[in-house]
Amino acid sequence: MNPKHVVFKKISRDKSVAVYMAKRDFVDHCDFVDPVDGVIVIDPAQLKGKKVYVMLSCTFRYGRQDMDVMGVAFRRDLFLVTRQVYPELQDKEKLTHTKIQKKLLKKLGDNAFPFFFEFPDNLPCSVALQPGPSDVGKKCAVEFEVKAFCAEHQDEKIDKQSSVRLSIRKIQFSPENSKVVPVTETTFEFLMSEKPLHIKLSLPKETFYHGEPVKVNVEITNSSSRNVKDISMSVEQVTNVVLYSNDKYVKSVAKEDTTDSVPSGTSLKKDYTLYPLLAYNKDRRGIALDGRLKHEDTNLASSTIVKDEVLKEVQGMLVSYKVVLRMIVSYRCVSVFYSEVSVELPFRLMHPKPEPGITGVCVCVCVCVCVCVDNLY
C-alpha cells in the first residue's frame, strides 16, 4: 500500500508561485545546522517575463514594526540572502541536495525548481517575548522566514500579490545527557551569632525537558541564633535582550510558597517539586517563548546555548533558568528584625532530541488548504 502524505498548500494571490518544503523546523546541532531546502513551482503565463527569487531571512524585532526612536528602527536583519531560481542559473541536478527535493521535482513537473540555503553558525534560535492581552502590533522576537517572489530584479519592491511568505523555525535540542549534578552550598554568618546558617541546594540533573517537573533537594542546617521561616521555592526565567539595550526580564514561571520553618539549632531536609509550564503563565507579558508557527501551540523558551567564539550580542535574546530558594530570617532583640536570604542554582530547560523519523511534506503559498499527496515516495 502506497503511503499518503498530508500537504499544507497556500497559493499567492496571482497564482504565479508556490513553495514546497519538507519541514518547517530546522535543528541546530551545535556542530552544524540543518540546511533549508525546498522546491518552487511557477506559472510561466503569470510571470510575464519576470524572474523568480527565494529569500531566507533572520530578523530581530524589538517591538512594533513601525517603532522608531530618534531615527533608530527597532528592527534588524541578522541574516538575509536572496537567490534566483528562475530562469535557472545552474542545472537542477546541481541545486538538488535531498531525496525529498528529487521526488517533489519528479512529482511536480517541468515548472518546479529547487532551492537550497545553509545557515551560518552564529544565528540565534527562534524566540519571542509573550505580549500582554492588550498589546497590539509585532512582538519582540527573533523570527525566520522563507520568501519567494517575482520581480524584474531582486532589489525592487516586492509585490504582495506575487509573493509567498513561509515562517520557519530554527530550534535546538538538548545535547547529550551530562553527568554533572548541579549543587550549590552557601553559609550565612550573622552579627551576634557564634555559628552560621548552612544551606545546600541540589538538582538530580542539569537539563530538564519541557513539561517535566523540576525536583529540588534542600538541606538547611541552622546552627545560628536566628529563626528561619516562610521558605519558598521558584523557577525564574531570565531573558537578556542583548542586541539593543541589554534589557533584562526576570520572571517567576513556577513557585511554591510554604510555611516551612527551621528554628535555631535545628535542621531541615526536604524535596520540593516545581512545574515550569506555559499553561500557568498564559497572557503574562515578558515571558520568553519558543518561536511559534501560526495556529500552533508553543512552550516556554528553551535555554540558550551559545557556541564558542560567537558574540552574544548577535543572539538577540539570551534565555536562562535558575532555581531560587528564599526564606525569612528573624532575630529578636528588644523588637523583632527580619531579613531575607536567598540561594540560586542554574539549570537548563530544553526539548529532548527526538528519535529519527519520517517527516511529512509541507506545501505553502498563501491560502491554507489541506490535501493528500499519493505516491510521493
Side-chain angles (χ1 to χ4, degrees):
M1 183 176 179
N2 293 322
K4 292 184 177 182
H5 296 267
V6 175
V7 173
F8 299 95
K9 184 178 181 181
K10 288 183 177 180
I11 55 175
S12 59
R13 293 177 183 176
D14 64 2
K15 300 182 180 181
S16 60
V17 63
V19 179
Y20 289 68
M21 297 185 70
K23 57 183 181 181
R24 296 175 71 176
D25 286 339
F26 299 87
V27 181
D28 185 340
H29 302 271
C30 289
D31 53 345
F32 74 97
V33 183
D34 291 345
V36 178
D37 61 86
V39 171
I40 297 292
V41 178
I42 66 167
D43 182 346
Q46 293 292 336
L47 291 180
K48 300 176 182 178
K50 294 182 179 180
K51 299 175 182 178
V52 178
Y53 300 91
V54 180
M55 177 189 297
L56 174 63
S57 64
C58 172
T59 304
F60 173 79
R61 303 182 188 276
Y62 194 64
R64 293 180 57 189
Q65 188 172 11
D66 58 352
M67 183 182 291
D68 192 291
V69 179
M70 297 183 66
V72 179
F74 278 49
R75 178 186 183 278
R76 178 176 171 182
D77 289 324
L78 301 179
F79 178 73
L80 185 66
V81 61
T82 305
R83 302 241 169 93
Q84 179 180 319
V85 295
Y86 178 82
E88 298 172 88
L89 299 179
Q90 289 182 304
D91 292 337
K92 286 185 180 181
E93 292 185 359
K94 293 182 179 180
L95 293 172
T96 304
H97 294 263
T98 65
K99 292 181 180 180
I100 296 270
Q101 281 181 308
K102 291 179 182 178
K103 295 180 185 298
L104 282 171
L105 290 171
K106 183 178 179 180
K107 182 77 176 180
L108 297 172
D110 294 336
N111 290 330
F113 302 89
F115 65 88
F116 183 86
F117 296 99
E118 290 185 306
F119 283 113
D121 290 336
N122 62 344
L123 291 182
C125 290
S126 301
V127 63
L129 291 184
Q130 181 169 254
S134 60
D135 291 345
V136 295
K138 294 286 186 178
K139 57 184 177 293
C140 182
V142 173
E143 299 173 329
F144 291 83
E145 184 180 74
V146 171
K147 181 191 298 182
F149 61 95
C150 310
E152 297 289 344
H153 54 83
Q154 69 178 53
D155 295 325
E156 73 177 58
K157 186 176 180 180
I158 298 174
D159 183 359
K160 292 183 179 181
Q161 300 291 326
S162 57
S163 64
V164 176
R165 295 172 178 263
L166 176 60
S167 295
I168 63 174
R169 291 187 294 195
K170 180 172 174 283
I171 60 178
Q172 202 167 40
F173 295 124
S174 171
E176 297 298 327
N177 288 333
S178 171
K179 295 183 179 180
V180 175
V181 177
V183 60
T184 183
E185 296 189 56
T186 305
T187 297
F188 294 93
E189 295 184 348
F190 304 102
L191 186 65
M192 299 178 65
S193 178
E194 294 182 0
K195 297 181 180 181
L197 168 67
H198 183 79
I199 302 172
K200 181 179 178 180
L201 205 60
S202 62
L203 297 169
K205 56 184 179 178
E206 184 181 23
T207 302
F208 290 84
Y209 299 141
H210 291 289
E212 185 179 13
V214 177
K215 296 182 179 180
V216 190
N217 179 260
V218 177
E219 296 182 31
I220 302 174
T221 303
N222 187 7
S223 301
S224 72
S225 59
R226 270 59 170 174
N227 292 316
V228 173
K229 66 175 185 177
D230 297 341
I231 296 174
S232 69
M233 292 293 309
S234 63
V235 171
E236 292 188 354
Q237 181 194 73
V238 182
T239 306
N240 285 286
V241 183
V242 295
L243 190 59
Y244 280 106
S245 58
N246 204 29
D247 287 347
K248 178 184 284 189
Y249 298 86
V250 180
K251 300 289 185 179
S252 175
V253 293
K255 189 174 183 180
E256 181 180 353
D257 292 317
T258 76
T259 57
D260 294 343
S261 62
V262 189
S264 175
T266 65
S267 61
L268 172 71
K269 185 174 182 180
K270 185 174 179 179
D271 290 332
Y272 296 87
T273 303
L274 300 168
Y275 299 88
L277 301 171
L278 177 57
Y280 302 146
N281 295 277
K282 289 285 189 181
D283 300 326
R284 290 186 59 202
R285 181 187 285 109
I287 298 288
L289 312 177
D290 274 345
R292 179 173 61 183
L293 300 177
K294 194 173 183 180
H295 306 308
E296 288 188 8
D297 291 331
T298 186
N299 46 260
L300 297 175
S302 298
S303 299
T304 304
I305 298 179
V306 181
K307 302 175 186 177
D308 296 337
E309 300 179 359
V310 171
L311 294 175
K312 290 184 177 181
E313 290 75 13
V314 183
Q315 298 297 300
M317 285 187 276
L318 301 175
V319 181
S320 61
Y321 291 88
K322 59 184 178 180
V323 169
V324 182
L325 168 67
R326 291 185 174 87
M327 61 190 73
I328 301 297
V329 176
S330 63
Y331 175 64
R332 179 177 294 276
C333 180
V334 182
S335 59
V336 181
F337 296 91
Y338 297 96
S339 62
E340 182 182 88
V341 297
S342 62
V343 181
E344 301 177 356
L345 183 60
F347 71 97
R348 288 176 178 171
L349 185 63
M350 303 191 75
H351 288 288
K353 187 176 181 180
E355 295 295 329
I358 299 176
T359 57
V361 174
C362 172
V363 182
C364 177
V365 194
C366 265
V367 181
C368 221
V369 181
C370 219
V371 298
C372 283
V373 175
D374 295 324
N375 304 325
L376 183 57
Y377 294 92

